[in-house]
Amino acid sequence: MADTLSALRSLMASHSPPLDALVVPSEDYHQSEYVSARDKRREFVSGFTGSAGLALVTKNEARLWTDGRYFLQATQELSDQWQLMRMGEDPAVDIWMADNLPRDSAIGIDPWCVSIDTAQKWELAFSKKHQKLVQTSTNLVDEVWKNQPPAEINPVIVHPLQYAGRSVADKLKDLRERLIQENARGIIISALDEVAWLYNIRGSDVSYSPVVHAFAIVTSNSAFFYVDKRKVSSEVNTYLEENGIEVRDYKSVSSDVALLASNQLKPSFKETEITGNGTNKAEDKNDDQIWADPGSCCYALYSKLNPEKVILQQSPLALAKALKNPIELEGLKKAHIRDGAAVVQYLVWLDKQAQEIYGASGFFSEGEGMDKKKHSKTTKLTEVTASDKLEGFRASKENFRGLSFPTISSVGPNAAIIHYSPQAETCAEFDPDSIYLFDSGAQYLDGTTDITRTVHFGKPSAHEKACYTAVLKGHIALGNARFPNGTNGHALDILARVPLWKSGLDYRHGTGHGIGSYLNVHEGPHLISFRPHARNVPLQASMTVTDEPGYYEDGNFGIRLENVLIINQADTKFNFGDKGYLQFEHITWAPYQRKLIDLSLLAPEELEWLNTYHSKCRDILAPYVDESEKAWLKKATEPISA
């Protein structure tokens, strides 16, 4: 790490102009949350492996900013050459640079790895002391990264209409109508999941996300797909051409954006071929603007545009993709049933291992500690061997395509690390006297899943039970909410926290995120969170969102419960203000652990909800498990009386 920093500082000094600081963000050219191995530049430079964060290297300092999910992990992973900056507590990176770097400083950034929004925000902060953002012509990290993984050539795959639910022609027609409404003659699409969704294609360029490294440009009469052409088979090329989409080389997006800006971007094939895909009206003189999403379009492409003729607005595809069509909703429900069966099979297996290897009292019984005499000296279970078994159960299910994020399989104190990712060499051994939290999900052709359960195979303490019950109460309260149309996730976030706040407890992450249809596990534009941007988009019928409150006690344990919900119209007795009301429908099926619940803290209606949920769980999952698993499931979902 020291060599990396000194090599970077040497490049910074020899750069023209010399750089006083270099920013190394986590994102790739598409501002993705999860990136491919060759794009993990911030991880390479800092040693911090979390999915979110930003590294800053100055002449004599190295600092890493990350959010509350990763404070504990970052303190464990960063060497003493790095200083952790806690987002929300310490000054933001732009404020820190503006205040601490010398007047007239040059701050280097690869313009492909930073969004328009971020670059403009920084330029504003730097203007006070005449500091300037310098766009480097190459990525300096790439120059010092000797064994940087090569770019992978993975095939582009057509996502069939039986899963997508809407044709490309239909999606392009809607998009072109939005362009007309906004007086735009073209749009640059950078977000990988938006490109995949619009063109009904998938790939495997990024672990856990079935996306392709590609850009798209759509105008009133043409559509382009910028990708490494080696990934496109002749069949896929034909499919794209039939949909009026021209395949161009990934690297030519930069020159094509410049052509788009000067209204000289023309398709190679006849424009008349694609009139079926929406309005092909003559371009009006007013339609001279280009739409670019400031959150996902990189600064490098923005720099090719005339800033006076750019619409800087969230991509219209973000909301269109979040509003699931009936086929996507049906697919998500089916995928979650198969996924729930895998989780139950895993819990049955884990319960058996805890008892056989460790002499634990098990999932149902609260016996004191473990029977030391029964503890096997030859066999042991670790966080990684356990999560591998869970992956195996999922892999046996229909339409399975891989995991949707690295499984969080965490024992005891590790469960307090919110986004803990166990490694085979360093992970903890299973401990039946500690809480075990697993947060996991899968990609299926018909939907993406994400579920968290927290369990204990020994005797949980009264404090652990009280904390688990507070989290469960918040989880139930949010899931049972009814709210008027127009309500955003910022307004609902408090519902999941109130039971924790009663005891002076809380958690440092949002409460819910959207989820893709065989796409990204974290999907916007909506979310349920205390963060201000949760106010931006109201929750709407046919969106998906997770319900995942938690509580984490550093050094001891962590608790989180997570289900995926669908938002539906609510049939309320009244309809004040003629707004229409909404409610949630749970589509995740797996039991909560009875022995972790302090029943004295549950209200009668909460207990009734739990029993109803468990009854559905039993009925829905029973056909997907064998007889012994069915017996376990029956016991795990038995009605609980107060």
Side-chain angles (χ1 to χ4, degrees), residues 179-197:
L179 294 182
I180 291 165
Q181 284 171 16
E182 300 293 333
N183 289 332
R185 58 180 170 78
I187 182 168
I188 302 163
I189 301 156
S190 300
L192 299 181
D193 63 333
E194 291 184 8
V195 176
W197 179 84

Side-chain angles (χ1 to χ4, degrees), residues 554-622:
D554 288 359
N556 291 323
F557 63 86
I559 295 161
R560 185 164 61 255
L561 296 171
E562 174 186 22
N563 284 3
V564 173
L565 316 174
I566 288 172
I567 304 176
N568 294 322
Q569 301 288 353
D571 183 18
T572 50
K573 186 177 179 184
F574 303 104
N575 183 17
F576 182 81
D578 288 329
K579 285 182 169 183
Y581 283 69
L582 301 171
Q583 63 188 11
F584 294 117
E585 173 190 353
H586 287 258
I587 62 169
T588 299
W589 304 107
Y592 304 94
Q593 192 176 19
R594 158 74 183 83
K595 80 172 178 190
L596 267 171
I597 302 170
D598 181 341
L599 291 177
S600 69
L601 299 175
L602 283 191
E605 60 272 19
E606 291 169 329
L607 190 58
E608 186 189 352
W609 179 88
L610 190 63
N611 284 332
T612 305
Y613 175 86
H614 275 159
S615 163
K616 286 181 186 169
C617 220
R618 184 169 59 248
D619 295 345
I620 287 168
L621 298 181

Side-chain angles (χ1 to χ4, degrees), residues 248-553:
R248 293 199 172 179
D249 192 66
Y250 183 78
K251 289 177 180 163
S252 64
V253 69
S254 184
S255 53
D256 273 14
V257 166
L259 288 171
L260 179 68
S262 58
N263 205 4
Q264 295 175 70
L265 180 63
K266 301 290 179 227
S268 302
F269 43 66
K270 291 194 200 106
E271 293 175 16
T272 50
E273 289 176 21
I274 58 166
T275 51
N277 282 344
T279 319
N280 188 2
K281 77 177 189 52
E283 284 177 19
D284 191 310
K285 286 287 170 276
N286 297 330
D287 298 356
D288 202 28
Q289 302 200 85
I290 306 302
W291 192 332
D293 185 326
S296 61
C297 182
C298 65
Y299 204 49
L301 292 180
Y302 175 73
S303 303
K304 305 277 179 190
L305 300 171
N306 174 352
E308 290 171 15
K309 293 187 173 180
V310 180
I311 299 170
L312 288 177
Q313 236 171 251
Q314 182 162 62
S315 161
L317 300 183
L319 181 59
K321 173 166 51 64
L323 297 171
K324 305 291 183 256
N325 64 58
I327 286 173
E328 288 175 317
L329 290 173
E330 192 56 34
L332 279 160
K333 288 177 185 179
K334 287 177 176 170
H336 278 82
I337 292 170
R338 296 193 302 274
D339 201 64
V343 169
V344 166
Q345 289 171 320
Y346 176 59
L347 285 170
V348 173
W349 175 84
L350 205 52
D351 189 14
K352 192 162 180 259
Q353 300 300 304
Q355 294 179 61
E356 288 182 359
I357 300 175
Y358 296 96
S361 51
F363 188 87
F364 300 106
S365 161
E366 256 190 87
E368 277 289 349
M370 55 182 179
D371 180 349
K372 304 290 185 208
K373 290 195 285 291
K374 277 191 77 175
H375 186 179
S376 163
K377 296 289 181 284
T378 51
T379 318
K380 72 173 191 175
L381 193 58
T382 70
E383 292 166 330
V384 168
T385 56
S387 74
D388 287 349
K389 188 71 180 178
L390 173 55
E391 183 173 354
F393 285 122
R394 284 195 162 105
S396 69
K397 302 290 175 262
E398 187 188 3
N399 292 336
F400 176 81
R401 286 294 178 272
L403 300 182
S404 54
F405 58 96
T407 298
I408 299 167
S409 168
S410 50
V411 171
N414 289 339
I417 304 171
I418 296 168
H419 266 219
Y420 174 72
S421 183
Q423 304 303 314
E425 317 76 57
T426 54
C427 71
E429 185 177 356
F430 188 77
D431 177 2
D433 285 331
S434 294
I435 270 182
Y436 174 67
L437 181 158
F438 63 105
D439 182 348
S440 63
Q443 295 287 3
Y444 300 95
L445 274 177
D446 47 354
T448 303
T449 67
D450 186 359
I451 174 176
T452 310
R453 290 294 183 265
T454 303
V455 291
H456 199 302
F457 293 97
K459 187 174 174 60
S461 69
H463 176 57
E464 286 169 333
K465 286 185 181 184
C467 294
Y468 179 95
T469 309
V471 171
L472 177 62
K473 285 168 75 75
H475 176 75
I476 294 171
L478 177 59
N480 283 342
R482 284 186 166 189
F483 47 96
N485 268 305
T487 305
N488 59 49
H490 191 274
L492 296 185
D493 181 74
I494 187 175
L495 295 176
R497 295 180 195 270
V498 165
L500 286 156
W501 286 356
K502 276 188 176 164
S503 305
L505 305 177
D506 204 351
Y507 51 97
R508 283 196 181 102
H509 57 75
T511 305
H513 57 83
I515 196 161
S517 282
Y518 186 40
L519 265 179
N520 292 353
V521 72
H522 293 157
E523 186 176 88
H526 59 293
L527 66 162
I528 298 175
S529 176
F530 58 92
R531 301 185 198 283
H533 61 281
R535 293 192 181 101
N536 296 351
V537 179
L539 299 174
Q540 297 176 41
S542 82
M543 282 178 167
T544 57
V545 70
T546 61
D547 171 2
E548 51 177 313
Y551 172 65
Y552 312 89
E553 208 163 272

